[in-house]
Amino acid sequence: MIKGTPELIAGRREEIINACEKLYQTMSFKEITLKEIGNELPFSRPTIYNYFETKEEIFLALFRREYERWIVDLDAIHKGNDSLTKEALASKIARSLADRPQLLKLIAMNIYDMEANSRIEQLTEFKRTYRRLINTLEGIFGKFLVGRAEGEKKKLLYMFFSFVFGVYPMTNATEKQREAMKIAEIDFEQVDAYDLTKDFLLELF
């Protein structure tokens, strides 16, 4: 049982997630350890275990927070517009995603390992947020894709999520990856996340 007020507990969790987020901007998932995260915190490293048992649980919490922030943007699209053309809808959704490079980076990770090394309570909270994300997108598709059958809209939703998992690698190739592709004679041209997502959505719609 964690001791402290709900505000203190929530604040400590946020500090831990923020420390992970800060490190993830310049380090890879494999490089980040609980020790590295602890070095960024104003309290002792053992305190982390009162809130998270593994590094994966912290990343899952960061992932959940990124989903929640994306939901806010998507909800604004849904509730802030009476009608949208396919072009406008594709543009708004593409912008909401392209403005979240950290979310795209997290999505590109091996989520199976992250989930496997998290307790069921942590994973359930993440899945609840994911369900809210799906509901929000279903609401957007239902409102603005007039004339499409419900089953077809659900299929479009799954196709969109499958696409999203590949956006980061296609739009953020490292220098090492570019060099390897050049040597392998692969004609690779890095594209912008917004343009790629918008073009895909227009094809989808």
Side-chain angles (χ1 to χ4, degrees), residues 52-119:
F52 302 99
E53 286 189 357
T54 64
K55 173 182 74 172
E56 287 81 3
E57 287 190 355
I58 302 173
F59 268 91
L60 200 65
L62 176 60
F63 203 159
R64 180 186 171 203
R65 189 169 74 181
E66 285 296 310
Y67 266 161
E68 288 172 343
R69 289 171 175 173
W70 190 26
I71 288 170
V72 171
D73 294 340
L74 292 170
D75 203 41
I77 295 171
H78 186 196
K79 296 178 179 177
N81 299 276
D82 293 327
S83 64
L84 288 170
T85 64
K86 291 179 181 180
E87 173 86 19
L89 179 59
S91 178
K92 286 180 180 294
I93 295 176
R95 177 51 57 203
S96 74
L97 189 60
D99 284 346
R100 303 216 160 276
Q102 183 164 249
L103 172 60
L104 290 173
K105 186 179 178 183
L106 285 163
I107 288 174
M109 285 175 53
N110 187 346
I111 192 170
Y112 291 102
D113 289 342
M114 201 187 305
E115 293 182 346
N117 290 313
S118 297
R119 288 168 291 171

Side-chain angles (χ1 to χ4, degrees), residues 125-189:
E125 287 303 308
F126 175 73
K127 293 301 185 183
R128 285 182 178 136
T129 301
Y130 179 62
R131 177 71 254 177
R132 284 178 49 225
L133 176 61
I134 291 174
N135 289 344
T136 304
L137 281 165
E138 283 180 334
I140 289 174
F141 284 10
K143 182 176 182 179
F144 300 115
L145 297 182
V146 182
R148 304 294 286 268
E150 288 305 313
E152 191 177 6
K153 291 175 186 176
K154 188 169 288 290
K155 186 184 292 185
L156 295 180
L157 181 65
Y158 289 134
M159 290 173 68
F160 176 60
F161 268 102
S162 297
F163 163 81
V164 167
F165 277 78
V167 172
Y168 189 82
M170 291 300 296
T171 58
N172 289 274
T174 64
E175 288 297 325
K176 185 177 182 180
Q177 289 171 327
R178 290 178 192 171
E179 181 63 21
M181 285 186 281
K182 183 178 179 181
I183 295 170
E185 298 182 346
I186 296 173
D187 185 16
F188 175 80
E189 181 179 347

